[in-house]
Amino acid sequence: QVQLQESGGGLVQAGDSLRLSCAASGRTFSYYVMGWFRQAPGKEREFVAAISRYGGPTSYAASVKGRFTISRDNAKNTIYLQMNNLKPEDTAVYYCAAGSSTNSINDYWGQGTQVTVSS
């Protein structure tokens, strides 16, 4: 069992940066592939970024590649999402998730943190 808690969301202006954190409980954190997803009002939840178990390969949605960076610190049971050059279209609730494989990052979910980017 893994419990996830996101933090770091807020209201920023276009072009600003934010760093989201997701703290996980459980001693098996390093076993899981971790990811960030987001859901904007009236839209389906979408993939943002993922990172493998030991911080190796990462993947990103095309819309955030080059602006967002996912990382993890297994010693702290935490993953991060550094978001630079934020755009109004990045406005959404951001969720972190844990899964057993890159194709299935949906075993556990956090409650989400709101990111709002004003123009």
mmCIF file of all heavy atoms in Angstrom, residues 22-60:
data_model
loop_
_atom_site.group_PDB
_atom_site.id
_atom_site.type_symbol
_atom_site.label_atom_id
_atom_site.label_comp_id
_atom_site.label_asym_id
_atom_site.label_seq_id
_atom_site.Cartn_x
_atom_site.Cartn_y
_atom_site.Cartn_z
ATOM 1 N N CYS A 22 5.603 15.339 -4.378
ATOM 2 C CA CYS A 22 4.686 14.264 -4.036
ATOM 3 C C CYS A 22 5.412 13.356 -3.066
ATOM 4 O O CYS A 22 6.362 12.662 -3.449
ATOM 5 C CB CYS A 22 4.242 13.508 -5.271
ATOM 6 S SG CYS A 22 3.239 12.049 -4.919
ATOM 7 N N ALA A 23 4.958 13.357 -1.821
ATOM 8 C CA ALA A 23 5.555 12.519 -0.792
ATOM 9 C C ALA A 23 4.787 11.217 -0.685
ATOM 10 O O ALA A 23 3.551 11.210 -0.651
ATOM 11 C CB ALA A 23 5.548 13.242 0.544
ATOM 12 N N ALA A 24 5.524 10.113 -0.626
ATOM 13 C CA ALA A 24 4.903 8.797 -0.576
ATOM 14 C C ALA A 24 5.203 8.097 0.739
ATOM 15 O O ALA A 24 6.288 8.242 1.296
ATOM 16 C CB ALA A 24 5.414 7.939 -1.731
ATOM 17 N N SER A 25 4.217 7.380 1.213
ATOM 18 C CA SER A 25 4.446 6.554 2.384
ATOM 19 C C SER A 25 4.801 5.150 1.919
ATOM 20 O O SER A 25 4.590 4.792 0.764
ATOM 21 C CB SER A 25 3.186 6.498 3.249
ATOM 22 O OG SER A 25 2.144 5.838 2.529
ATOM 23 N N GLY A 26 5.331 4.347 2.826
ATOM 24 C CA GLY A 26 5.628 2.969 2.454
ATOM 25 C C GLY A 26 7.094 2.746 2.164
ATOM 26 O O GLY A 26 7.760 3.593 1.591
ATOM 27 N N ARG A 27 7.568 1.588 2.519
ATOM 28 C CA ARG A 27 8.985 1.282 2.367
ATOM 29 C C ARG A 27 9.336 0.799 0.968
ATOM 30 O O ARG A 27 10.493 0.629 0.658
ATOM 31 C CB ARG A 27 9.402 0.227 3.391
ATOM 32 C CG ARG A 27 9.324 0.722 4.829
ATOM 33 C CD ARG A 27 9.702 -0.401 5.785
ATOM 34 N NE ARG A 27 8.723 -1.466 5.760
ATOM 35 C CZ ARG A 27 8.846 -2.600 6.445
ATOM 36 N NH1 ARG A 27 9.919 -2.806 7.167
ATOM 37 N NH2 ARG A 27 7.913 -3.516 6.388
ATOM 38 N N THR A 28 8.323 0.569 0.139
ATOM 39 C CA THR A 28 8.584 0.019 -1.184
ATOM 40 C C THR A 28 8.502 1.082 -2.264
ATOM 41 O O THR A 28 8.268 0.774 -3.421
ATOM 42 C CB THR A 28 7.593 -1.108 -1.492
ATOM 43 O OG1 THR A 28 6.253 -0.593 -1.412
ATOM 44 C CG2 THR A 28 7.781 -2.257 -0.545
ATOM 45 N N PHE A 29 8.700 2.329 -1.907
ATOM 46 C CA PHE A 29 8.562 3.438 -2.851
ATOM 47 C C PHE A 29 9.418 3.211 -4.084
ATOM 48 O O PHE A 29 8.984 3.444 -5.210
ATOM 49 C CB PHE A 29 8.948 4.736 -2.154
ATOM 50 C CG PHE A 29 9.024 5.920 -3.077
ATOM 51 C CD1 PHE A 29 7.869 6.502 -3.555
ATOM 52 C CD2 PHE A 29 10.249 6.443 -3.462
ATOM 53 C CE1 PHE A 29 7.924 7.606 -4.394
ATOM 54 C CE2 PHE A 29 10.319 7.538 -4.304
ATOM 55 C CZ PHE A 29 9.155 8.121 -4.769
ATOM 56 N N SER A 30 10.658 2.773 -3.899
ATOM 57 C CA SER A 30 11.582 2.645 -5.024
ATOM 58 C C SER A 30 11.134 1.572 -6.018
ATOM 59 O O SER A 30 11.627 1.538 -7.147
ATOM 60 C CB SER A 30 12.987 2.340 -4.527
ATOM 61 O OG SER A 30 12.999 1.126 -3.806
ATOM 62 N N TYR A 31 10.203 0.722 -5.634
ATOM 63 C CA TYR A 31 9.699 -0.316 -6.527
ATOM 64 C C TYR A 31 8.835 0.267 -7.631
ATOM 65 O O TYR A 31 8.724 -0.305 -8.717
ATOM 66 C CB TYR A 31 8.882 -1.334 -5.722
ATOM 67 C CG TYR A 31 8.058 -2.252 -6.578
ATOM 68 C CD1 TYR A 31 8.635 -3.363 -7.184
ATOM 69 C CD2 TYR A 31 6.699 -2.031 -6.797
ATOM 70 C CE1 TYR A 31 7.893 -4.220 -7.975
ATOM 71 C CE2 TYR A 31 5.946 -2.866 -7.592
ATOM 72 C CZ TYR A 31 6.545 -3.959 -8.169
ATOM 73 O OH TYR A 31 5.808 -4.805 -8.959
ATOM 74 N N TYR A 32 8.215 1.401 -7.367
ATOM 75 C CA TYR A 32 7.187 1.906 -8.267
ATOM 76 C C TYR A 32 7.712 2.869 -9.316
ATOM 77 O O TYR A 32 8.559 3.718 -9.036
ATOM 78 C CB TYR A 32 6.084 2.613 -7.465
ATOM 79 C CG TYR A 32 5.283 1.667 -6.625
ATOM 80 C CD1 TYR A 32 5.589 1.457 -5.286
ATOM 81 C CD2 TYR A 32 4.230 0.946 -7.183
ATOM 82 C CE1 TYR A 32 4.863 0.569 -4.515
ATOM 83 C CE2 TYR A 32 3.500 0.062 -6.424
ATOM 84 C CZ TYR A 32 3.823 -0.125 -5.094
ATOM 85 O OH TYR A 32 3.110 -1.010 -4.353
ATOM 86 N N VAL A 33 7.163 2.730 -10.506
ATOM 87 C CA VAL A 33 7.275 3.769 -11.518
ATOM 88 C C VAL A 33 6.338 4.880 -11.080
ATOM 89 O O VAL A 33 5.208 4.619 -10.649
ATOM 90 C CB VAL A 33 6.866 3.238 -12.899
ATOM 91 C CG1 VAL A 33 6.912 4.363 -13.925
ATOM 92 C CG2 VAL A 33 7.765 2.088 -13.320
ATOM 93 N N MET A 34 6.811 6.122 -11.162
ATOM 94 C CA MET A 34 6.023 7.248 -10.689
ATOM 95 C C MET A 34 5.685 8.196 -11.836
ATOM 96 O O MET A 34 6.465 8.319 -12.797
ATOM 97 C CB MET A 34 6.782 8.015 -9.608
ATOM 98 C CG MET A 34 7.143 7.185 -8.390
ATOM 99 S SD MET A 34 5.701 6.609 -7.472
ATOM 100 C CE MET A 34 4.997 8.174 -6.936
ATOM 101 N N GLY A 35 4.558 8.854 -11.710
ATOM 102 C CA GLY A 35 4.168 9.758 -12.775
ATOM 103 C C GLY A 35 3.363 10.938 -12.272
ATOM 104 O O GLY A 35 2.876 10.941 -11.137
ATOM 105 N N TRP A 36 3.275 11.940 -13.137
ATOM 106 C CA TRP A 36 2.407 13.091 -12.910
ATOM 107 C C TRP A 36 1.359 13.121 -14.015
ATOM 108 O O TRP A 36 1.673 12.899 -15.191
ATOM 109 C CB TRP A 36 3.207 14.391 -12.926
ATOM 110 C CG TRP A 36 4.061 14.609 -11.722
ATOM 111 C CD1 TRP A 36 5.397 14.328 -11.605
ATOM 112 C CD2 TRP A 36 3.653 15.144 -10.467
ATOM 113 N NE1 TRP A 36 5.833 14.664 -10.350
ATOM 114 C CE2 TRP A 36 4.788 15.169 -9.629
ATOM 115 C CE3 TRP A 36 2.438 15.618 -9.969
ATOM 116 C CZ2 TRP A 36 4.751 15.649 -8.309
ATOM 117 C CZ3 TRP A 36 2.397 16.092 -8.662
ATOM 118 C CH2 TRP A 36 3.538 16.106 -7.849
ATOM 119 N N PHE A 37 0.141 13.402 -13.625
ATOM 120 C CA PHE A 37 -0.971 13.568 -14.535
ATOM 121 C C PHE A 37 -1.665 14.884 -14.182
ATOM 122 O O PHE A 37 -1.428 15.449 -13.106
ATOM 123 C CB PHE A 37 -1.967 12.405 -14.399
ATOM 124 C CG PHE A 37 -1.407 11.072 -14.808
ATOM 125 C CD1 PHE A 37 -0.523 10.384 -13.995
ATOM 126 C CD2 PHE A 37 -1.764 10.507 -16.023
ATOM 127 C CE1 PHE A 37 0.011 9.153 -14.381
ATOM 128 C CE2 PHE A 37 -1.254 9.275 -16.420
ATOM 129 C CZ PHE A 37 -0.363 8.607 -15.590
ATOM 130 N N ARG A 38 -2.498 15.358 -15.082
ATOM 131 C CA ARG A 38 -3.247 16.575 -14.781
ATOM 132 C C ARG A 38 -4.634 16.513 -15.409
ATOM 133 O O ARG A 38 -4.849 15.803 -16.392
ATOM 134 C CB ARG A 38 -2.504 17.817 -15.272
ATOM 135 C CG ARG A 38 -2.386 17.938 -16.785
ATOM 136 C CD ARG A 38 -1.484 19.126 -17.144
ATOM 137 N NE ARG A 38 -1.375 19.306 -18.592
ATOM 138 C CZ ARG A 38 -0.571 20.196 -19.167
ATOM 139 N NH1 ARG A 38 0.212 20.977 -18.420
ATOM 140 N NH2 ARG A 38 -0.532 20.302 -20.486
ATOM 141 N N GLN A 39 -5.538 17.259 -14.813
ATOM 142 C CA GLN A 39 -6.902 17.319 -15.331
ATOM 143 C C GLN A 39 -7.392 18.749 -15.267
ATOM 144 O O GLN A 39 -7.497 19.337 -14.189
ATOM 145 C CB GLN A 39 -7.831 16.401 -14.533
ATOM 146 C CG GLN A 39 -9.221 16.293 -15.133
ATOM 147 C CD GLN A 39 -10.031 15.156 -14.554
ATOM 148 O OE1 GLN A 39 -9.723 14.646 -13.467
ATOM 149 N NE2 GLN A 39 -11.049 14.734 -15.252
ATOM 150 N N ALA A 40 -7.673 19.293 -16.429
ATOM 151 C CA ALA A 40 -8.221 20.644 -16.531
ATOM 152 C C ALA A 40 -9.739 20.565 -16.491
ATOM 153 O O ALA A 40 -10.325 19.524 -16.807
ATOM 154 C CB ALA A 40 -7.748 21.294 -17.819
ATOM 155 N N PRO A 41 -10.405 21.654 -16.116
ATOM 156 C CA PRO A 41 -11.868 21.647 -16.050
ATOM 157 C C PRO A 41 -12.486 21.239 -17.378
ATOM 158 O O PRO A 41 -12.121 21.762 -18.432
ATOM 159 C CB PRO A 41 -12.206 23.101 -15.710
ATOM 160 C CG PRO A 41 -11.004 23.611 -15.000
ATOM 161 C CD PRO A 41 -9.836 22.935 -15.669
ATOM 162 N N GLY A 42 -13.399 20.284 -17.313
ATOM 163 C CA GLY A 42 -14.092 19.839 -18.512
ATOM 164 C C GLY A 42 -13.292 18.935 -19.423
ATOM 165 O O GLY A 42 -13.765 18.580 -20.503
ATOM 166 N N LYS A 43 -12.103 18.551 -18.985
ATOM 167 C CA LYS A 43 -11.260 17.691 -19.815
ATOM 168 C C LYS A 43 -10.920 16.412 -19.075
ATOM 169 O O LYS A 43 -11.041 16.325 -17.851
ATOM 170 C CB LYS A 43 -9.979 18.421 -20.215
ATOM 171 C CG LYS A 43 -10.219 19.626 -21.107
ATOM 172 C CD LYS A 43 -8.899 20.194 -21.589
ATOM 173 C CE LYS A 43 -9.118 21.366 -22.544
ATOM 174 N NZ LYS A 43 -7.827 21.924 -23.034
ATOM 175 N N GLU A 44 -10.476 15.421 -19.831
ATOM 176 C CA GLU A 44 -10.069 14.165 -19.225
ATOM 177 C C GLU A 44 -8.674 14.307 -18.606
ATOM 178 O O GLU A 44 -7.876 15.163 -18.999
ATOM 179 C CB GLU A 44 -10.053 13.051 -20.277
ATOM 180 C CG GLU A 44 -11.430 12.702 -20.810
ATOM 181 C CD GLU A 44 -11.405 11.500 -21.728
ATOM 182 O OE1 GLU A 44 -10.297 11.024 -22.057
ATOM 183 O OE2 GLU A 44 -12.486 11.042 -22.122
ATOM 184 N N ARG A 45 -8.412 13.439 -17.657
ATOM 185 C CA ARG A 45 -7.090 13.415 -17.059
ATOM 186 C C ARG A 45 -6.082 13.014 -18.120
ATOM 187 O O ARG A 45 -6.315 12.086 -18.902
ATOM 188 C CB ARG A 45 -7.059 12.446 -15.893
ATOM 189 C CG ARG A 45 -5.812 12.508 -15.057
ATOM 190 C CD ARG A 45 -5.915 11.647 -13.819
ATOM 191 N NE ARG A 45 -6.997 12.090 -12.936
ATOM 192 C CZ ARG A 45 -7.218 11.590 -11.723
ATOM 193 N NH1 ARG A 45 -6.427 10.639 -11.253
ATOM 194 N NH2 ARG A 45 -8.224 12.024 -11.001
ATOM 195 N N GLU A 46 -4.925 13.688 -18.140
ATOM 196 C CA GLU A 46 -3.917 13.383 -19.135
ATOM 197 C C GLU A 46 -2.551 13.187 -18.507
ATOM 198 O O GLU A 46 -2.232 13.748 -17.457
ATOM 199 C CB GLU A 46 -3.831 14.511 -20.184
ATOM 200 C CG GLU A 46 -3.368 15.839 -19.648
ATOM 201 C CD GLU A 46 -3.192 16.893 -20.733
ATOM 202 O OE1 GLU A 46 -3.458 16.618 -21.913
ATOM 203 O OE2 GLU A 46 -2.778 18.019 -20.380
ATOM 204 N N PHE A 47 -1.754 12.396 -19.181
ATOM 205 C CA PHE A 47 -0.385 12.116 -18.758
ATOM 206 C C PHE A 47 0.480 13.360 -18.915
ATOM 207 O O PHE A 47 0.366 14.085 -19.913
ATOM 208 C CB PHE A 47 0.170 10.972 -19.599
ATOM 209 C CG PHE A 47 1.649 10.769 -19.472
ATOM 210 C CD1 PHE A 47 2.170 10.118 -18.361
ATOM 211 C CD2 PHE A 47 2.517 11.214 -20.449
ATOM 212 C CE1 PHE A 47 3.536 9.918 -18.240
ATOM 213 C CE2 PHE A 47 3.879 11.022 -20.336
ATOM 214 C CZ PHE A 47 4.389 10.380 -19.228
ATOM 215 N N VAL A 48 1.359 13.594 -17.942
ATOM 216 C CA VAL A 48 2.301 14.707 -18.012
ATOM 217 C C VAL A 48 3.739 14.196 -18.091
ATOM 218 O O VAL A 48 4.485 14.558 -19.000
ATOM 219 C CB VAL A 48 2.151 15.636 -16.791
ATOM 220 C CG1 VAL A 48 3.225 16.724 -16.809
ATOM 221 C CG2 VAL A 48 0.757 16.248 -16.753
ATOM 222 N N ALA A 49 4.127 13.357 -17.134
ATOM 223 C CA ALA A 49 5.515 12.897 -17.091
ATOM 224 C C ALA A 49 5.604 11.631 -16.256
ATOM 225 O O ALA A 49 4.756 11.386 -15.401
ATOM 226 C CB ALA A 49 6.427 13.971 -16.508
ATOM 227 N N ALA A 50 6.643 10.852 -16.495
ATOM 228 C CA ALA A 50 6.877 9.631 -15.736
ATOM 229 C C ALA A 50 8.364 9.425 -15.526
ATOM 230 O O ALA A 50 9.188 9.917 -16.314
ATOM 231 C CB ALA A 50 6.271 8.424 -16.447
ATOM 232 N N ILE A 51 8.685 8.694 -14.475
ATOM 233 C CA ILE A 51 10.089 8.404 -14.165
ATOM 234 C C ILE A 51 10.193 6.977 -13.674
ATOM 235 O O ILE A 51 9.341 6.495 -12.930
ATOM 236 C CB ILE A 51 10.651 9.408 -13.133
ATOM 237 C CG1 ILE A 51 12.155 9.223 -12.964
ATOM 238 C CG2 ILE A 51 9.910 9.309 -11.804
ATOM 239 C CD1 ILE A 51 12.823 10.391 -12.249
ATOM 240 N N SER A 52 11.234 6.289 -14.104
ATOM 241 C CA SER A 52 11.396 4.892 -13.747
ATOM 242 C C SER A 52 11.808 4.740 -12.285
ATOM 243 O O SER A 52 12.038 5.716 -11.585
ATOM 244 C CB SER A 52 12.427 4.249 -14.667
ATOM 245 O OG SER A 52 13.682 4.873 -14.488
ATOM 246 N N ARG A 53 11.927 3.502 -11.875
ATOM 247 C CA ARG A 53 12.092 3.204 -10.454
ATOM 248 C C ARG A 53 13.290 3.882 -9.804
ATOM 249 O O ARG A 53 13.198 4.366 -8.688
ATOM 250 C CB ARG A 53 12.197 1.692 -10.266
ATOM 251 C CG ARG A 53 10.916 0.962 -10.560
ATOM 252 C CD ARG A 53 11.110 -0.548 -10.478
ATOM 253 N NE ARG A 53 9.854 -1.255 -10.599
ATOM 254 C CZ ARG A 53 9.282 -1.540 -11.746
ATOM 255 N NH1 ARG A 53 9.874 -1.191 -12.865
ATOM 256 N NH2 ARG A 53 8.139 -2.182 -11.784
ATOM 257 N N TYR A 54 14.392 3.892 -10.475
ATOM 258 C CA TYR A 54 15.614 4.409 -9.859
ATOM 259 C C TYR A 54 16.073 5.715 -10.490
ATOM 260 O O TYR A 54 17.251 6.030 -10.464
ATOM 261 C CB TYR A 54 16.699 3.338 -9.908
ATOM 262 C CG TYR A 54 16.278 2.112 -9.126
ATOM 263 C CD1 TYR A 54 15.857 0.962 -9.795
ATOM 264 C CD2 TYR A 54 16.243 2.119 -7.734
ATOM 265 C CE1 TYR A 54 15.440 -0.154 -9.096
ATOM 266 C CE2 TYR A 54 15.828 1.009 -7.020
ATOM 267 C CZ TYR A 54 15.426 -0.128 -7.707
ATOM 268 O OH TYR A 54 14.996 -1.230 -7.001
ATOM 269 N N GLY A 55 15.096 6.470 -11.033
ATOM 270 C CA GLY A 55 15.407 7.794 -11.553
ATOM 271 C C GLY A 55 16.067 7.787 -12.913
ATOM 272 O O GLY A 55 16.639 8.787 -13.315
ATOM 273 N N GLY A 56 15.972 6.681 -13.611
ATOM 274 C CA GLY A 56 16.592 6.605 -14.921
ATOM 275 C C GLY A 56 15.741 7.187 -16.006
ATOM 276 O O GLY A 56 15.500 8.405 -16.024
ATOM 277 N N PRO A 57 15.246 6.382 -16.918
ATOM 278 C CA PRO A 57 14.485 6.927 -18.046
ATOM 279 C C PRO A 57 13.269 7.726 -17.597
ATOM 280 O O PRO A 57 12.563 7.361 -16.660
ATOM 281 C CB PRO A 57 14.053 5.681 -18.811
ATOM 282 C CG PRO A 57 15.073 4.663 -18.472
ATOM 283 C CD PRO A 57 15.445 4.936 -17.053
ATOM 284 N N THR A 58 13.059 8.831 -18.284
ATOM 285 C CA THR A 58 11.887 9.655 -18.049
ATOM 286 C C THR A 58 11.139 9.828 -19.364
ATOM 287 O O THR A 58 11.699 9.621 -20.444
ATOM 288 C CB THR A 58 12.269 11.043 -17.508
ATOM 289 O OG1 THR A 58 13.171 11.674 -18.433
ATOM 290 C CG2 THR A 58 12.951 10.942 -16.151
ATOM 291 N N SER A 59 9.884 10.186 -19.260
ATOM 292 C CA SER A 59 9.097 10.459 -20.461
ATOM 293 C C SER A 59 8.169 11.629 -20.170
ATOM 294 O O SER A 59 7.794 11.863 -19.010
ATOM 295 C CB SER A 59 8.297 9.235 -20.903
ATOM 296 O OG SER A 59 7.427 8.805 -19.878
ATOM 297 N N TYR A 60 7.807 12.346 -21.223
ATOM 298 C CA TYR A 60 7.006 13.553 -21.078
ATOM 299 C C TYR A 60 5.954 13.642 -22.172
ATOM 300 O O TYR A 60 6.167 13.180 -23.300
ATOM 301 C CB TYR A 60 7.897 14.797 -21.172
ATOM 302 C CG TYR A 60 8.930 14.896 -20.085
ATOM 303 C CD1 TYR A 60 10.203 14.370 -20.250
ATOM 304 C CD2 TYR A 60 8.625 15.515 -18.868
ATOM 305 C CE1 TYR A 60 11.146 14.436 -19.242
ATOM 306 C CE2 TYR A 60 9.569 15.598 -17.863
ATOM 307 C CZ TYR A 60 10.833 15.056 -18.051
ATOM 308 O OH TYR A 60 11.769 15.143 -17.047
#
